[in-house]
Amino acid sequence: MSVSGAPGTTDASDAIEIAAGWRRAGRQVALATVVRTWGSSPLPIGSQMVVDDAGVFAGSVSGGCVESAVIAEAREILRDGKPRLLTFGVSDERAWEVGLSCGGDIAIYVEPVT
Amino acid sequence: MKAVLLGRLQALRTAGRPVAVVTELGSGAQALVHDGGVEGELEIPADSLAQVRRQLATDTSGMLDGGLFLRAWNPSLRLVLVGAVHVSQALVPIARALGFGVTIVDPRTAFASTARFPDVALTTTWPDEALSALAPDSRTAVVTLTHDPKLDDPALRIALASDAFFIGALGSRRTHAARLERLRADGVADAALARIHAPVGLPLGGRRPAEIAVAIAAEIVQVLYAQPARADS
Protein backbone atom coordinates (compact mmCIF):
# COMPACT_ATOMS: atom_id res chain seq x y z
CA MET A 1 0.00 0.00 0.00
CA SER A 2 0.55 3.01 0.66
CA VAL A 3 3.27 2.50 3.12
CA SER A 4 0.73 3.96 5.15
CA GLY A 5 0.18 0.54 4.46
CA ALA A 6 3.32 -0.94 5.66
CA PRO A 7 1.18 -1.39 8.65
CA GLY A 8 3.02 -3.22 11.29
CA THR A 9 -0.10 -4.65 12.77
CA THR A 10 0.83 -4.26 16.40
CA ASP A 11 3.50 -1.58 16.19
CA ALA A 12 3.26 0.55 19.33
CA SER A 13 4.19 3.64 17.28
CA ASP A 14 1.19 3.10 15.05
CA ALA A 15 -1.57 5.73 15.17
CA ILE A 16 -4.37 3.25 15.92
CA GLU A 17 -2.54 1.79 18.91
CA ILE A 18 -1.68 5.27 20.17
CA ALA A 19 -5.27 6.48 19.77
CA ALA A 20 -6.57 3.50 21.73
CA GLY A 21 -3.94 3.96 24.44
CA TRP A 22 -4.69 7.66 24.86
CA ARG A 23 -8.42 6.93 25.00
CA ARG A 24 -7.88 4.33 27.71
CA ALA A 25 -5.90 6.95 29.63
CA GLY A 26 -8.99 9.18 29.55
CA ARG A 27 -7.82 11.66 26.92
CA GLN A 28 -10.04 13.11 24.18
CA VAL A 29 -8.64 11.84 20.89
CA ALA A 30 -9.05 12.84 17.24
CA LEU A 31 -7.74 10.79 14.35
CA ALA A 32 -6.56 12.48 11.13
CA THR A 33 -6.16 10.39 7.97
CA VAL A 34 -4.85 11.33 4.52
CA VAL A 35 -7.71 10.31 2.20
CA ARG A 36 -6.59 11.85 -1.07
CA THR A 37 -3.48 13.30 -2.62
CA TRP A 38 -2.80 15.13 -5.86
CA GLY A 39 0.67 15.74 -7.23
CA SER A 40 3.75 15.25 -5.12
CA SER A 41 2.30 15.12 -1.63
CA PRO A 42 4.83 14.08 0.95
CA LEU A 43 3.03 11.14 2.59
CA PRO A 44 0.84 8.45 1.03
CA ILE A 45 -2.89 7.95 1.37
CA GLY A 46 -3.74 6.31 4.68
CA SER A 47 -1.05 8.12 6.68
CA GLN A 48 -2.40 9.01 10.11
CA MET A 49 -1.93 11.36 13.01
CA VAL A 50 -3.48 11.32 16.48
CA VAL A 51 -4.26 14.58 18.32
CA ASP A 52 -5.55 15.02 21.87
CA ASP A 53 -7.56 17.89 23.35
CA ALA A 54 -4.40 19.58 24.59
CA GLY A 55 -2.88 19.56 21.10
CA VAL A 56 -0.42 16.77 21.85
CA PHE A 57 0.06 14.75 18.67
CA ALA A 58 1.75 11.63 17.31
CA GLY A 59 2.20 10.37 13.77
CA SER A 60 2.18 12.50 10.64
CA VAL A 61 -0.02 13.39 7.68
CA SER A 62 2.38 15.51 5.66
CA GLY A 63 5.86 15.23 7.08
CA GLY A 64 5.40 18.55 8.88
CA CYS A 65 3.81 20.77 6.25
CA VAL A 66 0.23 21.10 7.49
CA GLU A 67 0.39 19.43 10.91
CA SER A 68 -0.15 22.59 12.94
CA ALA A 69 -3.28 23.51 10.99
CA VAL A 70 -4.61 19.96 11.38
CA ILE A 71 -3.94 20.07 15.12
CA ALA A 72 -5.89 23.32 15.47
CA GLU A 73 -8.82 21.86 13.50
CA ALA A 74 -8.66 18.61 15.49
CA ARG A 75 -9.01 20.49 18.79
CA GLU A 76 -12.03 22.30 17.34
CA ILE A 77 -13.49 18.96 16.26
CA LEU A 78 -12.99 17.55 19.75
CA ARG A 79 -15.00 20.49 21.07
CA ASP A 80 -17.95 20.20 18.68
CA GLY A 81 -17.75 16.46 17.95
CA LYS A 82 -18.20 16.86 14.18
CA PRO A 83 -15.79 15.15 11.78
CA ARG A 84 -14.41 17.31 8.97
CA LEU A 85 -12.70 16.92 5.62
CA LEU A 86 -9.80 19.36 5.30
CA THR A 87 -8.05 20.15 2.06
CA PHE A 88 -4.71 21.85 1.64
CA GLY A 89 -2.85 22.77 -1.50
CA VAL A 90 -0.53 25.23 -3.06
CA SER A 91 -3.52 27.07 -4.49
CA ASP A 92 -5.11 27.22 -1.05
CA GLU A 93 -4.47 30.38 0.92
CA ARG A 94 -4.30 28.44 4.16
CA ALA A 95 -1.62 26.22 2.71
CA TRP A 96 0.60 29.28 2.26
CA GLU A 97 -0.15 30.35 5.77
CA VAL A 98 0.78 26.98 7.17
CA GLY A 99 3.66 26.66 4.78
CA LEU A 100 2.82 23.79 2.47
CA SER A 101 6.20 24.08 0.88
CA CYS A 102 6.22 20.47 -0.19
CA GLY A 103 3.94 20.93 -3.20
CA GLY A 104 0.89 18.94 -4.14
CA ASP A 105 -2.60 18.98 -2.68
CA ILE A 106 -3.86 16.84 0.13
CA ALA A 107 -7.24 16.00 1.68
CA ILE A 108 -7.32 14.96 5.33
CA TYR A 109 -10.29 13.54 7.18
CA VAL A 110 -10.33 14.39 10.87
CA GLU A 111 -12.70 12.55 13.22
CA PRO A 112 -13.17 12.32 16.95
CA VAL A 113 -12.96 8.95 18.68
CA THR A 114 -16.30 8.82 20.46
CA MET B 1 -14.60 6.59 14.92
CA LYS B 2 -16.55 4.95 17.68
CA ALA B 3 -14.38 3.57 20.46
CA VAL B 4 -16.02 0.15 20.06
CA LEU B 5 -15.03 0.04 16.39
CA LEU B 6 -11.51 1.18 17.26
CA GLY B 7 -11.27 -1.68 19.75
CA ARG B 8 -12.44 -4.20 17.15
CA LEU B 9 -9.94 -2.80 14.64
CA GLN B 10 -7.15 -3.27 17.17
CA ALA B 11 -8.23 -6.83 17.94
CA LEU B 12 -8.44 -7.84 14.26
CA ARG B 13 -5.06 -6.33 13.47
CA THR B 14 -3.44 -7.96 16.47
CA ALA B 15 -4.85 -11.29 15.30
CA GLY B 16 -3.13 -10.74 11.94
CA ARG B 17 -6.42 -10.48 10.03
CA PRO B 18 -6.65 -8.19 6.98
CA VAL B 19 -9.23 -5.49 7.74
CA ALA B 20 -10.52 -2.36 6.02
CA VAL B 21 -12.07 0.68 7.68
CA VAL B 22 -14.65 2.17 5.31
CA THR B 23 -15.81 5.73 6.07
CA GLU B 24 -18.59 7.68 4.42
CA LEU B 25 -16.90 11.08 4.54
CA GLY B 26 -20.17 13.00 4.33
CA SER B 27 -21.82 11.46 7.38
CA GLY B 28 -18.85 10.00 9.23
CA ALA B 29 -20.56 6.58 9.34
CA GLN B 30 -18.09 3.69 9.36
CA ALA B 31 -17.80 -0.06 8.98
CA LEU B 32 -15.06 -2.66 9.30
CA VAL B 33 -14.72 -5.20 6.49
CA HIS B 34 -12.79 -8.42 7.05
CA ASP B 35 -12.92 -12.05 5.96
CA GLY B 36 -15.48 -12.79 8.67
CA GLY B 37 -17.97 -10.15 7.53
CA VAL B 38 -18.89 -6.48 7.96
CA GLU B 39 -19.41 -4.68 11.28
CA GLY B 40 -20.51 -1.15 12.04
CA GLU B 41 -23.30 1.28 11.28
CA LEU B 42 -22.38 2.01 7.65
CA GLU B 43 -24.28 -0.02 5.04
CA ILE B 44 -21.95 -0.68 2.12
CA PRO B 45 -23.60 -1.30 -1.28
CA ALA B 46 -22.71 -4.70 -2.82
CA ASP B 47 -20.69 -3.14 -5.66
CA SER B 48 -18.64 -1.08 -3.26
CA LEU B 49 -18.15 -4.05 -0.95
CA ALA B 50 -16.65 -6.07 -3.79
CA GLN B 51 -14.30 -3.19 -4.51
CA VAL B 52 -13.39 -2.91 -0.83
CA ARG B 53 -12.41 -6.58 -0.77
CA ARG B 54 -10.32 -6.23 -3.95
CA GLN B 55 -8.49 -3.21 -2.58
CA LEU B 56 -7.96 -4.86 0.79
CA ALA B 57 -6.39 -7.83 -0.99
CA THR B 58 -3.90 -5.51 -2.71
CA ASP B 59 -3.45 -3.35 0.40
CA THR B 60 -4.63 -0.25 -1.43
CA SER B 61 -6.17 2.57 0.59
CA GLY B 62 -8.10 5.30 -1.23
CA MET B 63 -11.40 6.84 -2.26
CA LEU B 64 -14.21 4.67 -3.64
CA ASP B 65 -17.36 5.74 -5.47
CA GLY B 66 -20.11 7.29 -3.38
CA GLY B 67 -17.89 9.40 -1.14
CA LEU B 68 -16.48 6.35 0.64
CA PHE B 69 -12.89 6.17 1.87
CA LEU B 70 -11.15 2.87 2.51
CA ARG B 71 -8.17 2.43 4.82
CA ALA B 72 -6.65 -1.02 4.38
CA TRP B 73 -4.78 -2.79 7.15
CA ASN B 74 -2.86 -5.93 6.35
CA PRO B 75 -0.51 -8.06 8.39
CA SER B 76 3.12 -7.02 8.36
CA LEU B 77 5.33 -8.05 5.51
CA ARG B 78 7.38 -11.11 6.38
CA LEU B 79 10.54 -12.57 4.90
CA VAL B 80 11.47 -16.19 5.51
CA LEU B 81 15.11 -16.99 4.69
CA VAL B 82 16.09 -20.62 4.38
CA GLY B 83 19.78 -20.75 5.18
CA ALA B 84 21.58 -18.93 7.98
CA VAL B 85 24.34 -18.01 5.56
CA HIS B 86 26.50 -14.98 4.85
CA VAL B 87 23.98 -13.47 2.40
CA SER B 88 21.31 -13.77 5.12
CA GLN B 89 23.45 -11.76 7.51
CA ALA B 90 23.59 -8.96 4.95
CA LEU B 91 19.91 -9.28 4.02
CA VAL B 92 18.43 -9.08 7.53
CA PRO B 93 19.07 -5.35 8.13
CA ILE B 94 18.01 -4.43 4.58
CA ALA B 95 14.75 -6.37 4.88
CA ARG B 96 14.02 -4.81 8.26
CA ALA B 97 14.55 -1.32 6.89
CA LEU B 98 11.99 -2.22 4.21
CA GLY B 99 9.45 -3.16 6.88
CA PHE B 100 9.77 -6.96 6.81
CA GLY B 101 9.74 -9.12 9.89
CA VAL B 102 12.49 -11.69 9.24
CA THR B 103 12.64 -15.37 10.22
CA ILE B 104 15.63 -17.57 9.39
CA VAL B 105 15.21 -21.31 8.93
CA ASP B 106 18.24 -23.58 9.14
CA PRO B 107 18.49 -26.92 10.94
CA ARG B 108 22.29 -26.62 10.97
CA THR B 109 22.80 -25.14 14.40
CA ALA B 110 26.39 -24.17 13.58
CA PHE B 111 24.91 -21.74 11.06
CA ALA B 112 21.69 -20.77 12.84
CA SER B 113 23.25 -19.48 16.03
CA THR B 114 22.35 -16.40 18.03
CA ALA B 115 26.03 -15.45 17.91
CA ARG B 116 25.77 -15.13 14.13
CA PHE B 117 22.21 -13.75 14.15
CA PRO B 118 21.57 -11.77 17.33
CA ASP B 119 17.95 -10.57 17.62
CA VAL B 120 16.70 -12.59 14.65
CA ALA B 121 13.95 -15.22 14.91
CA LEU B 122 15.73 -18.54 14.21
CA THR B 123 14.04 -21.87 13.51
CA THR B 124 16.12 -25.02 13.48
CA THR B 125 13.44 -27.55 12.60
CA TRP B 126 13.61 -29.16 9.14
CA PRO B 127 12.64 -26.59 6.47
CA ASP B 128 9.36 -28.25 5.36
CA GLU B 129 8.18 -28.45 8.95
CA ALA B 130 9.38 -24.91 9.64
CA LEU B 131 7.67 -23.49 6.56
CA SER B 132 4.42 -25.28 7.38
CA ALA B 133 4.48 -23.76 10.85
CA LEU B 134 5.26 -20.29 9.51
CA ALA B 135 2.33 -20.58 7.05
CA PRO B 136 3.43 -18.03 4.41
CA ASP B 137 0.58 -15.71 3.37
CA SER B 138 0.14 -13.13 0.61
CA ARG B 139 2.35 -10.71 2.57
CA THR B 140 5.24 -13.19 2.89
CA ALA B 141 8.37 -13.64 0.78
CA VAL B 142 10.36 -16.89 0.96
CA VAL B 143 13.96 -17.13 -0.26
CA THR B 144 16.12 -20.25 -0.19
CA LEU B 145 19.86 -19.64 0.15
CA THR B 146 21.52 -22.85 1.32
CA HIS B 147 22.63 -24.29 -2.05
CA ASP B 148 21.75 -27.65 -0.50
CA PRO B 149 18.79 -29.42 -2.15
CA LYS B 150 18.13 -31.36 1.06
CA LEU B 151 17.27 -28.06 2.74
CA ASP B 152 16.07 -25.83 -0.11
CA ASP B 153 13.75 -28.29 -1.87
CA PRO B 154 11.48 -29.13 1.09
CA ALA B 155 11.12 -25.43 1.85
CA LEU B 156 10.24 -24.66 -1.77
CA ARG B 157 7.63 -27.42 -1.89
CA ILE B 158 5.77 -25.91 1.07
CA ALA B 159 6.22 -22.33 -0.17
CA LEU B 160 4.84 -23.24 -3.60
CA ALA B 161 1.70 -24.59 -1.97
CA SER B 162 1.21 -21.28 -0.11
CA ASP B 163 0.06 -17.78 -1.06
CA ALA B 164 3.58 -16.31 -0.62
CA PHE B 165 3.84 -13.29 -2.93
CA PHE B 166 7.50 -13.99 -3.66
CA ILE B 167 9.42 -17.25 -3.81
CA GLY B 168 13.09 -17.07 -4.75
CA ALA B 169 15.99 -19.50 -4.86
CA LEU B 170 19.69 -18.73 -4.94
CA GLY B 171 21.84 -20.66 -7.40
CA SER B 172 22.94 -20.60 -11.02
CA ARG B 173 20.71 -21.28 -13.98
CA ARG B 174 22.13 -24.79 -14.22
CA THR B 175 21.49 -25.39 -10.54
CA HIS B 176 17.96 -24.14 -11.04
CA ALA B 177 17.35 -26.42 -14.04
CA ALA B 178 18.37 -29.40 -11.89
CA ARG B 179 16.17 -28.11 -9.08
CA LEU B 180 13.16 -27.90 -11.41
CA GLU B 181 13.78 -31.49 -12.54
CA ARG B 182 13.82 -32.74 -8.95
CA LEU B 183 10.68 -30.84 -7.94
CA ARG B 184 8.88 -31.93 -11.11
CA ALA B 185 9.79 -35.54 -10.35
CA ASP B 186 8.35 -34.94 -6.90
CA GLY B 187 5.03 -34.05 -8.48
CA VAL B 188 5.16 -30.24 -8.31
CA ALA B 189 3.17 -28.79 -11.22
CA ASP B 190 4.84 -26.62 -13.86
CA ALA B 191 2.54 -23.71 -13.05
CA ALA B 192 3.79 -23.77 -9.47
CA LEU B 193 7.42 -24.10 -10.54
CA ALA B 194 7.04 -21.00 -12.71
CA ARG B 195 6.51 -18.97 -9.52
CA ILE B 196 10.12 -19.48 -8.44
CA HIS B 197 12.36 -16.47 -9.06
CA ALA B 198 15.71 -18.02 -9.87
CA PRO B 199 18.44 -17.15 -9.90
CA VAL B 200 16.96 -14.86 -7.25
CA GLY B 201 17.82 -11.15 -7.32
CA LEU B 202 17.80 -8.41 -9.92
CA PRO B 203 20.84 -8.59 -12.21
CA LEU B 204 22.85 -5.81 -10.56
CA GLY B 205 26.17 -7.50 -11.33
CA GLY B 206 27.47 -7.65 -7.74
CA ARG B 207 28.96 -10.82 -6.28
CA ARG B 208 29.67 -9.95 -2.69
CA PRO B 209 27.12 -11.04 -0.06
CA ALA B 210 25.89 -7.50 0.60
CA GLU B 211 25.50 -6.90 -3.13
CA ILE B 212 23.55 -10.11 -3.56
CA ALA B 213 21.40 -9.13 -0.58
CA VAL B 214 20.59 -5.79 -2.22
CA ALA B 215 19.71 -7.56 -5.48
CA ILE B 216 17.36 -9.96 -3.67
CA ALA B 217 15.72 -7.19 -1.66
CA ALA B 218 15.28 -5.12 -4.82
CA GLU B 219 13.55 -7.97 -6.64
CA ILE B 220 11.21 -8.58 -3.69
CA VAL B 221 10.21 -4.90 -3.67
CA GLN B 222 9.72 -4.95 -7.44
CA VAL B 223 7.39 -7.96 -7.24
CA LEU B 224 5.53 -6.50 -4.25
CA TYR B 225 4.67 -3.37 -6.22
CA ALA B 226 4.05 -5.19 -9.48
CA GLN B 227 0.87 -6.50 -7.92
CA PRO B 228 -2.32 -4.77 -9.14
CA ALA B 229 -2.21 -0.99 -9.52
CA ARG B 230 -2.10 1.04 -6.36
CA ALA B 231 -4.17 4.10 -5.58
CA ASP B 232 -1.31 6.31 -4.44
CA SER B 233 -0.47 8.93 -6.98
Side-chain angles (χ1 to χ4, degrees):
Chain A
M1 106 144 276
S2 356
V3 173
S4 43
T9 51
T10 54
D11 183 348
S13 67
D14 158 285
I16 294 298
E17 294 300 318
I18 291 168
W22 287 5
R23 271 287 295 186
R24 272 197 304 278
R27 291 153 78 173
Q28 295 284 309
V29 178
L31 189 62
T33 305
V34 176
V35 298
R36 202 159 189 175
T37 62
W38 299 263
S40 58
S41 293
L43 289 183
I45 291 169
S47 300
Q48 291 183 313
M49 182 167 86
V50 191
V51 183
D52 77 0
D53 47 335
V56 177
F57 72 102
S60 179
V61 287
S62 74
C65 299
V66 300
E67 267 73 5
S68 35
V70 173
I71 290 163
E73 293 277 357
R75 297 180 73 181
E76 195 59 39
I77 285 160
L78 286 174
R79 274 190 287 274
D80 68 21
K82 295 193 186 89
R84 245 161 271 184
L85 184 62
L86 313 176
T87 57
F88 299 94
V90 285
S91 57
D92 183 325
E93 214 169 277
R94 264 188 322 168
W96 288 113
E97 281 170 27
V98 299
L100 186 60
S101 53
C102 359
D105 293 13
I106 185 169
I108 298 167
Y109 183 70
V110 188
E111 59 186 317
V113 177
T114 55
Chain B
M1 182 179 292
K2 295 199 184 312
V4 177
L5 214 61
L6 181 66
R8 285 290 298 148
L9 174 60
Q10 271 191 295
L12 288 159
R13 294 196 325 150
T14 303
R17 305 260 298 275
V19 54
V21 178
V22 182
T23 306
E24 188 174 64
L25 297 185
S27 67
Q30 287 174 319
L32 299 183
V33 177
H34 50 84
D35 54 6
V38 181
E39 345 180 350
E41 57 181 356
L42 176 66
E43 299 247 351
I44 305 171
D47 285 5
S48 300
L49 188 58
Q51 195 184 349
V52 167
R53 294 200 181 281
R54 280 196 301 276
Q55 291 199 198
L56 179 57
T58 56
D59 202 32
T60 308
S61 298
M63 293 297 300
L64 310 173
D65 291 341
L68 299 178
F69 172 71
L70 171 160
R71 174 63 163 95
W73 300 98
N74 273 283
S76 302
L77 293 163
R78 286 190 294 160
L79 173 62
V80 178
L81 298 175
V82 179
V85 297
H86 201 169
V87 169
S88 308
Q89 288 175 306
L91 190 45
V92 167
I94 298 171
R96 283 186 171 158
L98 293 169
F100 286 78
V102 183
T103 302
I104 294 179
V105 174
D106 200 325
R108 304 168 298 181
T109 49
F111 287 78
S113 70
T114 49
R116 284 164 52 77
F117 292 93
D119 307 323
V120 181
L122 298 172
T123 303
T124 54
T125 53
W126 208 255
D128 49 358
E129 193 183 320
L131 266 288
S132 295
L134 289 165
D137 59 20
S138 61
R139 303 274 293 164
T140 306
V142 179
V143 180
T144 62
L145 300 164
T146 71
H147 291 295
D148 182 346
K150 282 200 308 299
L151 299 173
D152 284 354
D153 288 7
L156 287 170
R157 275 202 303 274
I158 303 298
L160 289 171
S162 78
D163 289 337
F165 77 89
F166 183 94
I167 299 169
L170 192 65
S172 69
R173 280 174 209 291
R174 203 159 58 177
T175 301
H176 187 54
R179 174 187 297 128
L180 291 179
E181 280 311 309
R182 287 192 307 274
L183 290 170
R184 208 173 274 128
D186 255 2
V188 181
D190 282 348
L193 294 176
R195 291 174 63 198
I196 305 175
H197 294 263
V200 67
L202 295 184
L204 303 183
R207 293 280 177 128
R208 291 185 294 140
E211 294 166 344
I212 294 168
V214 167
I216 294 171
E219 187 173 25
I220 292 172
V221 170
Q222 183 184 53
V223 170
L224 178 65
Y225 286 98
Q227 293 180 23
R230 281 152 197 272
D232 287 5
S233 51

